[in-house]
């Protein structure tokens, strides 16, 4: 509000009463705090909703499970990927994360993440791996 009033004075020659300006600043800040609090409540609600029913399920005793997470930004094509490998007891054996650049779609980002995780399992000489990724388009893909 102060900046707007300053610009209006400098460029338009408009004069504002100090008391009115201060009152408007206080009102704007109160509204801003309300919006932030409402946003936090919405985010907390979404987090609770997203996590409902998502329980890690152990692989069969002779297998290990590699969970893969992908984040993709459409504007830049930047991909963040991570994987975690656990045994049937839920103990973490390995994990890793990395970034990719230039993915044209979420599907491409998911494919890159899955291939990278599979290559990582080969590098670590891990066999009998079950891969889990949120990408229904990739179900049944041979890697």
């Amino acid at each position: 509000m102060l900046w707007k009033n300053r610009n209006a004075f400098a460029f338009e020659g408009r004069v504002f009463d100090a008391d009115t300006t201060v009152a408007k600043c206080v009102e704007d800040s109160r509204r801003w705090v309300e919006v932030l609090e409402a946003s936090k409540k919405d985010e907390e609600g979404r987090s609770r909703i997203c996590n409902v029913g998502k329980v890690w399920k152990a692989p069969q005793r002779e297998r290990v499970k590699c969970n893969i997470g992908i984040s993709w930004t459409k504007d830049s094509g930047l991909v963040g990927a991570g994987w975690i490998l656990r045994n049937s007891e839920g103990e973490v054996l390995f994990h890793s994360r990395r970034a990719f650049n230039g993915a044209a779609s979420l599907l491409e980002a998911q494919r890159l993440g899955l291939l990278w995780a599979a290559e990582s399992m080969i590098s670590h000489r891990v066999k009998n791996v079950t891969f889990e990724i949120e990408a229904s388009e990739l179900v049944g893909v041979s890697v």
Side-chain angles (χ1 to χ4, degrees):
M1 182 48 63
L2 292 174
W3 191 254
K4 286 181 181 179
N5 284 2
R6 178 217 165 273
N7 285 344
F9 176 76
F11 299 113
E12 300 169 17
R14 294 173 54 196
V15 179
F16 297 91
D17 175 44
D19 291 335
T20 305
T21 300
V22 169
K24 182 65 175 152
C25 288
V26 169
E27 177 63 19
D28 283 353
S29 66
R30 184 188 62 75
R31 285 185 182 165
W32 179 249
V33 169
E34 287 175 359
V35 167
L36 287 177
E37 288 173 355
S39 175
K40 285 180 186 176
K41 287 178 184 175
D42 287 348
E43 187 64 34
E44 289 170 0
R46 273 189 241 117
S47 293
R48 272 186 250 122
I49 291 168
C50 290
N51 291 330
V52 171
K54 291 191 179 183
V55 177
W56 184 80
K57 293 180 184 174
Q60 297 170 347
R61 194 164 268 312
E62 66 278 355
R63 299 188 66 81
V64 292
K65 183 183 271 190
C66 180
N67 293 91
I68 305 163
I70 303 293
S71 176
W72 173 68
T73 305
K74 184 178 182 176
D75 295 337
S76 65
L78 189 62
V79 178
W83 58 260
I84 185 167
L85 184 71
R86 296 183 187 121
N87 63 17
S88 59
E89 312 295 307
E91 297 169 339
V92 175
L93 305 174
F94 298 106
H95 64 89
S96 188
R97 63 182 181 268
R98 71 167 290 185
F100 297 95
N101 197 7
S105 68
L106 177 58
L107 182 59
E108 182 179 356
Q110 292 167 331
R111 184 186 61 79
L112 284 169
L114 179 58
L115 287 172
W116 166 63
E119 289 169 354
S120 297
M121 296 305 109
I122 293 167
S123 310
H124 288 294
R125 297 186 178 145
V126 177
K127 297 180 181 179
N128 298 323
V129 181
T130 299
F131 292 93
E132 190 169 274
I133 185 170
E134 288 187 13
S136 59
E137 301 86 359
L138 298 177
V139 172
V141 171
S142 298
V143 181

